[in-house]
Amino acid sequence: PYGFHVGENERLDAVGNEQNPILFSAIDTVRGWSGIEFIDSGYDDLLDFCQIEYAKVYGQTLESQRGGAIYCYRSSPTIRNSTIINNYAILGGGIYCEEGSPTIENNYISLNRSHTGGGLYLYKSKFNQPFANNIVALNKASRSFGQGGGIWVGYSEMKFVNNIVYQNDAYAGGGLYFTSYGDSNNVDVLNTIIWNNDAEDGAEVLEHFCDRDPVLSYCCINLPLLPSGFVNGPGNIFNINPSFVDPDHSDFHLQLGSPCIDAGNPDPIYNDPEDPTNLGFALWPAMGTVRNDMGAYGGGGQTSIIYSFSAAAWYMISLPIFPQDSTVSTLFPTALNGTAYYWNNCTKTYDAVTK
């Protein structure tokens, strides 16, 4: 199947909005398509308000088995406000990152599958910005020795801030799996809800030969205590239900009375946005006072995350080429005056592709 390639000295700006997100999908959802790959492409690529779905990466070489929806190698795209759902790869069903510094924030990453790293596989990466305000839910790694149902992290430096890791599944490390085999690994997890994940070994979290034990602080976790290999920082809540509104229907807002409201790190740098009409109190979807709420709706970077889209689509799978850049003139050489159009099913009009 065809995919979308962004390489050195090339740039992809895929910017939708809440009403009209960009959909990357497959015409044949059984066969799928090969997803989006960033290789040596720098820091200026942007996926904002996109939905990426039905990518299936299962090539014969190791390089062609990584990153179902998004593959990043020595690249640092910004991926935000997007839904990454129903994708498959051997490593990193949703996202695979290696030797990069991506910004990944305000995304819904769900129902992706892999052998290892059901939702994400993060390898030898140094995140300059926190992995923040994401919901990683219902992803699955193989029960035959697969690791990291939600997220697999190896040899990386990063900070997880205000995320939800919910009901992911694997053989080892159902929610989060950390490893480095004595090499560099520097990970902090805070203001995060880790709940209802499952695995044969380490249902919620698992650490394996990290040179620096991961530190969990101000987290709500479905365990009586942290397993060996983790540092139990301040403010953790153990075995108390976070009280989501309706997780069975992907509504992970907190109910009134949730123990996670105003329970995140009290440092003002993590504060929730203030409601300008009710000073001292948080702006919805954060709740309570301006002190940080645990979960994806707390902190200054949160938005009310979109879960499903019914907007216009770019079906990258249908292109009979392997594009080397992302300009309209290259992808659509017959476009009049360099302008291509797509059918917007929401407005029932043909809209210009502005690239």
Side-chain angles (χ1 to χ4, degrees), residues 17-322:
N17 57 54
E18 191 167 346
Q19 290 72 39
N20 290 289
I22 296 173
L23 175 63
F24 292 88
S25 190
I27 293 174
D28 182 348
T29 59
V30 175
R31 185 182 181 211
W33 63 298
S34 295
I36 303 170
E37 64 175 22
F38 299 95
I39 299 179
D40 295 314
S41 65
Y43 285 83
D44 57 355
D45 300 300
L46 176 60
L47 296 169
D48 193 4
F49 286 106
C50 296
Q51 177 159 323
I52 307 172
E53 63 182 22
Y54 297 115
K56 297 182 180 180
V57 179
Y58 41 82
Q60 298 301 311
T61 65
L62 185 60
E63 289 76 13
S64 63
Q65 297 174 353
R66 302 171 178 177
I70 300 171
Y71 172 77
C72 303
Y73 180 66
R74 294 197 300 242
S75 301
S76 303
T78 294
I79 306 164
R80 67 187 182 208
N81 301 324
S82 294
T83 294
I84 299 166
I85 191 168
N86 283 318
N87 302 285
Y88 171 81
I90 301 297
L91 299 177
I95 299 174
Y96 177 101
C97 290
E98 180 176 348
E99 296 184 21
S101 301
T103 297
I104 303 175
E105 58 189 16
N106 291 308
N107 300 292
Y108 181 62
I109 303 169
S110 183
L111 296 173
N112 302 289
R113 296 177 299 111
S114 72
H115 181 274
T116 290
L120 302 97
Y121 189 104
L122 309 174
Y123 177 61
K124 290 187 176 179
S125 293
K126 183 176 181 179
F127 281 62
N128 295 325
Q129 299 297 323
F131 180 92
N133 300 103
N134 299 287
I135 295 173
V136 181
L138 301 169
N139 301 284
K140 185 177 178 63
S142 171
R143 274 285 177 157
S144 299
F145 306 103
Q147 303 163 349
I151 308 174
W152 186 99
V153 181
Y155 313 90
S156 296
E157 297 182 23
M158 62 186 305
K159 181 178 287 188
F160 289 85
V161 181
N162 279 105
N163 300 286
I164 293 172
V165 181
Y166 176 82
Q167 204 167 317
N168 302 282
D169 186 270
Y171 173 80
L176 300 172
Y177 182 96
F178 303 101
T179 187
S180 68
Y181 288 95
D183 204 343
S184 175
N185 208 53
N186 190 343
V187 179
D188 293 305
V189 183
L190 66 157
N191 305 337
T192 290
I193 300 173
I194 307 168
W195 198 261
N196 207 28
N197 301 282
D198 193 27
E200 296 289 329
D201 185 14
E204 302 294 344
V205 295
L206 188 66
E207 178 271 349
H208 190 65
F209 293 120
C210 288
D211 67 319
R212 174 186 177 272
D213 293 341
V215 180
L216 273 68
S217 305
Y218 300 98
C219 291
C220 178
I221 185 167
N222 189 24
L223 289 172
L225 50 84
L226 288 176
S228 62
F230 289 88
V231 175
N232 183 18
N236 290 318
I237 298 174
F238 294 102
N239 266 2
I240 301 177
N241 195 305
S243 299
F244 298 125
V245 170
D246 189 1
D248 291 340
H249 295 91
S250 302
D251 188 345
F252 292 96
H253 294 89
L254 300 175
Q255 297 183 37
L256 286 172
S258 165
C260 297
I261 296 172
D262 294 341
N265 192 310
D267 190 316
I269 66 171
Y270 299 110
N271 275 2
D272 301 333
E274 188 174 43
D275 185 345
T277 66
N278 195 10
L279 299 182
F281 291 89
L283 183 69
W284 191 89
M287 302 178 71
T289 70
V290 294
R291 176 175 168 172
N292 184 279
D293 294 344
M294 294 178 181
Y297 299 108
Q302 51 80 18
T303 63
S304 188
I305 295 172
I306 303 294
Y307 306 112
S308 62
F309 297 138
S310 58
W314 288 3
Y315 288 103
M316 304 314 302
I317 189 67
S318 67
L319 294 176
I321 57 175
F322 188 75

